[in-house]
Amino acid sequence: MSRQVGRPELRGRAARLARLLPAGPANAARTPFVLLVVVLLGGGLITLLVLNSALNEGSFTLSELKRENTELTDEQQELQRDVDAQARPDALRRRADTLGLVPGGIPVFLDPDGTVRGVPSPAPTPVVAKPSPSASPSPSAEESPSPGASPSPGASGTSPAPGPDTPAPTAPTPGR
């Protein structure tokens, strides 16, 4: 009797197992797996496409920045050449002459106690060379004095000579 009782259990288990397995052909069980593989491959390809596009965009940006860097380097070198040309001694001398500046001569120094070291001498009178009208640019608003305004003491290119009531310049005493 124990064998007969065991057989219906086996049949019951088999019936339960049969319900878990698909009743159709074996291909029906592979369909979700195949769809999963296709979705993963498609997603991978799309991801690679997006990544490749981003890398190409970065490459185009990099080449544009390199081109801009080259242009700016060329412009900087051109400006440096202009600065070097303006800083040459002969160019400085020409500009100083047009402004009415004169050579300074031997320097004189003030000691901290206010005594003068050296022999002061007056600056030579400037010889202003008048530039040709075609070469001179029009004066700007900053350079031309407004009507009624008095010229500043240094406007003529020379400093005013101290008068009898003007005190001699002194250096500040250290420690005050």
Side-chain angles (χ1 to χ4, degrees):
M1 255 205 192
S2 65
R3 288 187 180 210
Q4 288 179 352
V5 174
R7 283 187 184 170
E9 278 183 38
L10 291 176
R11 286 185 189 163
R13 281 186 190 166
R16 280 182 279 172
L17 288 174
R19 277 186 277 152
L20 294 175
L21 296 175
N27 289 339
R30 294 183 189 168
T31 304
F33 177 72
V34 170
L35 286 176
L36 177 68
V37 169
V38 168
V39 167
L40 288 176
L41 287 175
L45 288 175
I46 290 173
T47 303
L48 285 175
L49 180 65
V50 168
L51 183 63
N52 192 18
S53 297
L55 288 175
N56 283 339
E57 182 179 345
S59 174
F60 287 131
T61 303
L62 180 65
S63 65
E64 178 67 23
L65 289 174
K66 282 183 179 179
R67 184 191 60 77
E68 185 178 341
N69 188 23
T70 303
E71 289 176 1
L72 290 174
T73 301
D74 292 344
E75 182 180 350
Q76 187 263 342
Q77 289 174 352
E78 182 179 336
L79 291 172
Q80 187 63 45
R81 280 191 300 271
D82 291 346
V83 167
D84 291 342
Q86 293 289 329
R88 288 193 332 244
D90 60 332
L92 289 174
R93 176 66 178 226
R94 274 193 312 254
R95 284 201 322 255
D97 288 342
T98 59
L99 291 173
L101 301 177
V102 294
I106 300 172
V108 176
F109 300 97
L110 290 176
D111 287 330
D113 61 356
T115 59
V116 178
R117 195 170 64 187
V119 178
S121 62
T125 57
V127 178
V128 179
K130 299 280 183 179
S132 65
S134 62
S136 67
S138 62
S140 65
E142 293 175 0
E143 293 173 357
S144 61
S146 61
S150 63
S152 63
S156 66
T158 61
S159 60
D165 57 342
T166 306
T170 61
T173 309
R176 282 193 187 176

